[in-house]
Amino acid sequence: MEIAPAQQRPFLSLPVVLLDFAAAKGELGWLTHPYGKGWDLMQNIMDDMPIYMYSVCNVVAGDQDNWLRTNWVYRGEAERIFIELKFTVRDCNSFPGGASSCKETFNLYYAESDVDYGTNFQKRQFTKIDTIAPDEITVSSDFEARHVKLNVEERSVGPLSRKGFYLAFQDIGACVALLSVRVYYKKCPELLQGLAHFPETIAGSDAPSLATVAGTCVDHAVVPPGGEEPRMHCAVDGEWLVPIGQCLCQAGYEKVEDACHACSPGFFKSEASESPCLECPAHTLPSPEGATYCECAEGYFRATQDLLSMPCTRPPSAPHYLTAVGMGAKVELRWTPPQDNGGRKDIIYSVTCEQCWPESGECGPCEATVHYSEPPHALTRTSVIVSDLEPHMNYTFAVEARNGVSDLVASRSFRTASVSINQTEPPKVKLEGRSTTSLSVSWSIPLPQQSRVWKYEVTYRKKGDSNSYNVRRTEGFSVTLEDLTPDTTYLVQVQALTQEGQGAGSKVHEFQTLSMEGSGNMAVIGGVVVGVFLLLVLAGIGLFIHRRRKSMRARQSSEDVYFSKSEQLKPLKTYVDPHTYEDPNQAVLKFTTEIHPSCVTRQKVIGADKPMMIIAEYMENGALDKFLRVMKAINEGFRLPTPMDCPSAIYQLMMQCWQQERTRRPKFTDIVSILDKLIRAPDSLKTLADFDPRVSIRLPSTSGSEGVPFRTVSEWLESIKMQQYTEHFLTAGYTAIEKVVQMTNDDIKKIGVRLPGHQKRIAYSLLGLKDQVNTVGIPI
């Protein structure tokens, strides 16, 4: 919501008075109840002017209920009325003895009706507005000095819906003088704001809401494209708030105070905006009053993208100076910018070509047969190279200077230059091969010129010998120069021969024959290279056959292939959960896909009605039963560590089953009972057992009888099934266990261990290896 800076403060309201007791000078004749008691109309003189007031002062007698009702007030268009009261209240302590029933407040009521009830007065028809209490009370000293303190209070009531209303004042035992009762409603006054007219508007009835009022643009003002219609909001207190949108003087008009005036002659304004009218730019005609643009003078123009505030411009003059420099079958065109740029900076150049045949005198465009170093019709530089020109042809080039208004005129601003091509483009020569007594040379010329060449002349001689030379002619594009001297530099030049004579010659090239020693060495090197190549081919064939046989033996499905590279090993599947398979035989088959058939045996059939196969686990160290015969470690109290993510309760049950004393192990019925309890209390399985990565790979491995660590790096890697990295460790300089235990995680990555699982296996084993080395006292 946009608010103009000048409208931060509200605009004052316009009050419309419905009732003014003070202005009526006591002629209203309000109704009192009970009649003849309580409120009484009194007259007094103030500043030599009579004033009227309703007063009541029955403070001694208790239980006062005195009412004063106004006449029926016609509401009109008011929705909310404001009641302004001016009154005095005497201090109860100013009365002798201080009457206990004295009050210092009175109540204000109102009642709506569509007709005037006259003298018919009923309390139940009235609704209380508020209890009116004074800010200042007239005390005894003020009263004796005839100095009363006047209070002013204002209340509002709304929304009103009936045709009229009454006000009533209830006295409950106070000494009150009512000097003025003024009832009015508020309007937001007529307003001219932001070149928009807003009519006089009745204030709304609900305090939180704002009445939205649409404005009308003044003469020659419009709402700008994409802008908001002018709107303001009339608040409940009759003040204008929150202006939105605005009107702007239309094209050809400018803002003068709160109106839009036409632009003066010689000035213009091209669009609806807050900007003033602008003076007509250079090279334009004087504009009439209220102009939206200034027409260009004769010979001057505006481009489509030019602003109307910019001066009118014209096409540039021709390039000031143009030269054509022939370079065989090429021409370089150079020129200088035009002396008159037409008042613009967007100058580009366009180059056209015309060729003429000397025999017939016929001429025609040549853009299709030649090539330009840059696009010829949008050049920003002042030079260009034209190539693939035909020999013995006359060419005329025209360079035109253009700018943004050149398309608006029929005339052209160009300069021409002519050139005759008498020679073909020099051949491009290169050395194809050489020996001790020969040089093989080839060359090329542009395709359009080849039809004019009938032979090529090759001239060659020894470098430093200017007395003799040799010449060979050929119709092809290559030649072998033979019977040359070994280890000698020759100067070679190729020239095209046409029907008209000799064409342009190539530059002189220096080519050297091979020496006798270099030739022999080259032969040896060539033989070695061929031998090495044959050995590599044979090795590749053997490796291919080996891998093919290996792949034919492999038993794997598509989902079992974990890596695409042959040098990467498949990780071992340590466990297959048979509960996830409907058929247990499928689980066994899934597990054995990684095991060679020779490693799987059926031990025996257990049970009579439900035989099941028992599969010996295929682990890193062979079958589990065979591995457990490493019985020395078991007798010493070693037990397998907790598997990863194993619940602590399950691992504790496993440890009880591995007790050394058979009698201390739980019975099968006890195991079933414990497992049943764990299943019924799943929260007990959330606590995981401690996991020690240093022993999670295998048992502590030693190669000596007294716990001496591994003797070699290869022996250690083989023990953790990572022997494929033996070469990596040795190549990186880790040739001894003492060096291996000093490795970090970054060192493992640097030597070429890429797989995260292999990195972890080696790192965890290193932690355990460090403990073993420290135990036996080998310094690290």
Side-chain angles (χ1 to χ4, degrees):
M1 184 177 294
E2 183 176 331
I3 301 177
Q7 284 99 26
Q8 295 296 333
R9 62 178 185 276
F11 301 94
L12 298 179
S13 62
L14 178 65
V16 180
V17 178
L18 299 176
L19 171 67
D20 192 342
F21 167 71
K25 300 185 183 302
E27 298 179 357
L28 295 176
W30 290 356
L31 179 68
T32 60
H33 179 81
Y35 181 74
K37 297 182 179 180
W39 293 93
D40 190 15
L41 179 63
M42 301 180 63
Q43 180 182 3
N44 205 340
I45 301 298
M46 182 177 292
D47 298 330
D48 299 328
M49 294 291 293
I51 62 171
Y52 295 87
M53 66 184 76
Y54 276 100
S55 66
V56 63
C57 198
N58 298 336
V59 298
V60 177
D63 297 330
Q64 295 295 309
D65 187 19
N66 305 310
W67 289 74
L68 174 65
R69 191 202 72 180
T70 67
N71 297 333
W72 187 74
V73 182
Y74 178 65
R75 177 176 66 88
E77 59 184 1
E79 296 180 2
R80 172 174 289 273
I81 60 173
F82 295 84
I83 307 164
E84 180 187 80
L85 305 177
K86 293 182 180 180
F87 61 95
T88 64
V89 177
R90 283 190 62 179
D91 184 9
C92 287
N93 296 323
S94 64
F95 296 99
S100 60
S101 60
C102 178
K103 302 292 189 298
E104 295 177 349
T105 61
F106 62 95
N107 298 322
L108 175 63
Y109 288 81
Y110 83 104
E112 286 190 85
S113 67
D114 291 324
V115 295
D116 186 358
Y117 295 126
T119 59
N120 183 15
F121 176 76
Q122 297 183 15
K123 299 179 184 179
R124 58 183 177 80
Q125 295 176 340
F126 286 83
T127 302
K128 185 177 180 179
I129 298 175
D130 199 1
T131 297
I132 307 301
D135 293 330
E136 294 184 286
I137 299 177
T138 302
V139 298
S140 298
S141 58
D142 296 328
F143 190 75
E144 293 173 357
R146 301 184 64 82
H147 174 70
V148 296
K149 295 180 179 178
L150 189 65
N151 295 276
V152 180
E153 293 288 335
E154 184 177 274
R155 299 291 187 271
S156 66
V157 178
L160 301 179
S161 58
R162 300 292 185 89
K163 292 182 180 181
F165 60 89
Y166 295 97
L167 293 180
F169 306 91
Q170 181 193 25
D171 167 50
I172 55 176
C175 190
V176 180
L178 197 58
L179 282 72
S180 174
V181 177
R182 183 168 168 262
V183 181
Y184 62 93
Y185 65 94
K186 295 181 179 180
K187 284 185 177 182
C188 291
E190 182 180 10
L191 179 67
L192 192 62
Q193 166 71 21
L195 296 179
H197 174 263
F198 296 91
E200 186 179 88
T201 304
I202 300 173
S205 59
D206 296 329
S209 65
L210 297 175
T212 302
V213 182
T216 305
C217 293
V218 300
D219 292 342
H220 307 295
V222 295
V223 177
E228 292 191 67
E229 295 287 339
R231 300 192 306 276
M232 291 195 74
H233 297 82
C234 182
V236 68
D237 56 359
E239 295 178 343
W240 290 110
L241 298 174
V242 195
I244 297 176
Q246 62 177 340
C247 298
L248 300 176
C249 289
Q250 66 187 37
Y253 289 81
E254 62 182 346
K255 182 180 179 182
V256 179
E257 294 181 351
D258 291 325
C260 294
H261 292 185
C263 295
S264 303
F267 289 78
F268 79 102
K269 184 181 172 189
S270 60
E271 60 183 357
S273 67
E274 295 179 319
S275 302
C277 296
L278 302 176
E279 188 176 1
C280 288
H283 309 301
T284 59
L285 299 176
S287 63
E289 185 181 46
T292 58
Y293 71 98
C294 300
E295 293 185 2
C296 292
E298 185 177 358
Y300 288 86
F301 309 90
R302 279 196 181 95
T304 306
Q305 69 273 16
D306 290 349
L307 300 177
L308 294 175
S309 59
M310 295 174 56
C312 294
T313 57
R314 61 184 179 185
S317 60
H320 181 53
Y321 182 72
L322 174 63
T323 59
V325 180
M327 301 180 298
K330 297 180 181 179
V331 169
E332 182 180 17
L333 301 177
R334 290 184 175 273
W335 60 92
T336 57
Q339 291 182 325
D340 180 11
N341 61 11
R344 305 182 67 91
K345 297 181 179 179
D346 55 349
I347 293 182
I348 60 172
Y349 303 96
S350 178
V351 179
T352 57
C353 171
E354 184 182 63
Q355 61 183 357
C356 298
W357 285 265
E359 301 86 354
S360 62
E362 296 180 358
C363 299
C366 54
E367 274 75 10
T369 59
V370 300
H371 293 87
Y372 295 89
S373 58
E374 296 181 43
H377 299 300
L379 294 169
T380 56
R381 300 172 56 187
T382 56
S383 65
V384 68
I385 296 178
V386 188
S387 58
D388 291 346
L389 302 178
E390 296 186 28
H392 308 287
M393 190 76 70
N394 296 330
Y395 289 91
T396 300
F397 299 96
V399 180
E400 179 186 5
R402 300 177 60 84
N403 62 15
V405 295
S406 295
D407 291 335
L408 303 179
V409 297
S411 61
R412 298 174 58 196
S413 302
F414 62 91
R415 194 172 298 276
T416 61
S418 299
V419 64
S420 297
I421 305 300
N422 296 321
Q423 292 182 335
T424 60
E425 186 172 340
K428 296 180 180 179
V429 182
K430 64 179 179 180
L431 179 66
E432 297 290 349
R434 60 176 179 164
S435 68
T436 55
T437 59
S438 64
L439 294 172
S440 296
V441 180
S442 66
W443 56 88
S444 63
I445 63 172
L447 185 61
Q449 299 181 15
Q450 294 179 10
S451 61
R452 291 184 171 271
V453 178
W454 68 282
K455 279 189 179 182
Y456 295 94
E457 186 177 83
V458 181
T459 303
Y460 62 99
R461 62 182 176 88
K462 292 181 180 180
K463 184 177 180 179
D465 184 3
S466 59
N467 296 325
S468 62
Y469 64 90
N470 298 284
V471 177
R472 290 278 301 273
R473 288 187 176 181
T474 178
E475 296 179 356
F477 294 95
S478 63
V479 70
T480 299
L481 308 178
E482 299 177 335
D483 298 330
L484 304 180
T485 304
D487 196 17
T488 303
T489 301
Y490 285 83
L491 304 180
V492 181
Q493 184 181 30
V494 180
Q495 189 173 30
L497 303 180
T498 65
Q499 298 294 340
E500 293 80 9
Q502 291 185 336
S506 71
K507 69 176 185 178
V508 178
H509 295 269
E510 293 186 5
F511 300 134
Q512 185 177 5
T513 56
L514 294 176
S515 63
M516 298 298 293
E517 180 181 356
S519 176
N521 291 338
M522 289 298 294
V524 173
I525 293 174
V528 172
V529 170
V530 171
V532 171
F533 175 75
L534 292 176
L535 288 176
L536 290 176
V537 170
L538 293 175
I541 294 173
L543 181 61
F544 173 77
I545 295 174
H546 173 72
R547 289 183 176 177
R548 186 171 181 86
R549 290 178 178 176
K550 184 176 181 181
S551 64
M552 292 178 63
R553 292 195 304 264
R555 298 170 57 200
Q556 56 183 354
S557 62
S558 59
E559 60 178 319
D560 294 327
V561 180
Y562 310 127
F563 304 105
S564 60
K565 296 184 178 179
S566 59
E567 63 271 13
Q568 294 174 324
L569 299 180
K570 291 179 12 179
L572 296 176
K573 284 188 176 179
T574 57
Y575 181 66
V576 174
D577 186 0
H579 293 86
T580 60
Y581 296 83
E582 295 183 0
D583 185 2
N585 292 325
Q586 291 294 327
V588 173
L589 181 61
K590 188 70 177 178
F591 180 72
T592 57
T593 54
E594 294 182 351
I595 308 175
H596 194 273
S598 61
C599 299
V600 182
T601 59
R602 185 175 65 184
Q603 301 294 334
K604 65 171 64 174
V605 176
I606 302 176
D609 29 333
K610 218 171 196 190
M612 295 294 294
M613 292 191 302
I614 305 300
I615 304 295
E617 297 180 59
Y618 189 70
M619 302 181 67
E620 295 179 2
N621 295 290
L624 179 62
D625 57 347
K626 186 182 298 183
F627 179 75
L628 292 179
R629 299 189 183 100
V630 186
M631 298 307 296
K632 179 180 179 181
I634 297 176
N635 293 330
E636 293 176 354
F638 175 80
R639 297 297 181 269
L640 291 177
T642 173
M644 293 181 65
D645 299 329
C646 178
S648 178
I650 297 296
Y651 185 62
Q652 292 299 323
L653 178 60
M654 294 165 59
M655 295 297 291
Q656 294 178 18
C657 295
W658 293 341
Q659 290 289 338
Q660 186 74 18
E661 295 294 332
R662 179 179 300 179
T663 57
R664 300 181 62 182
R665 300 173 191 167
K667 298 180 180 179
F668 190 76
T669 55
D670 298 332
I671 295 175
V672 173
S673 176
I674 293 173
L675 291 177
D676 183 66
K677 292 180 180 179
L678 293 176
I679 292 173
R680 297 178 184 275
D683 290 341
S684 62
L685 299 175
K686 292 183 179 179
T687 303
L688 301 181
D690 293 335
F691 171 68
D692 188 354
R694 293 173 296 178
V695 295
S696 63
I697 303 300
R698 54 171 57 256
L699 295 174
S701 299
T702 58
S703 57
S705 59
E706 299 302 325
V708 179
F710 299 100
R711 296 187 182 92
T712 64
V713 176
S714 59
E715 181 182 351
W716 164 65
L717 289 173
E718 185 177 0
S719 69
I720 61 174
K721 299 299 182 181
M722 292 285 107
Q723 61 269 23
Q724 66 268 32
Y725 294 112
T726 301
E727 191 66 23
H728 294 69
F729 277 76
L730 298 180
T731 304
Y734 296 100
T735 56
I737 295 296
E738 291 80 6
K739 293 183 178 181
V740 169
V741 295
Q742 300 179 28
M743 295 179 69
T744 64
N745 291 341
D746 290 336
D747 294 333
I748 297 173
K749 297 178 182 178
K750 289 179 181 179
I751 67 172
V753 181
R754 305 298 183 198
L755 299 179
H758 292 186
Q759 293 173 3
K760 289 182 179 180
R761 175 175 291 193
I762 294 174
Y764 292 161
S765 181
L766 280 176
L767 291 175
L769 192 61
K770 288 181 181 179
D771 293 343
Q772 300 173 43
V773 171
N774 291 335
T775 301
V776 298
I778 296 179
I780 297 179

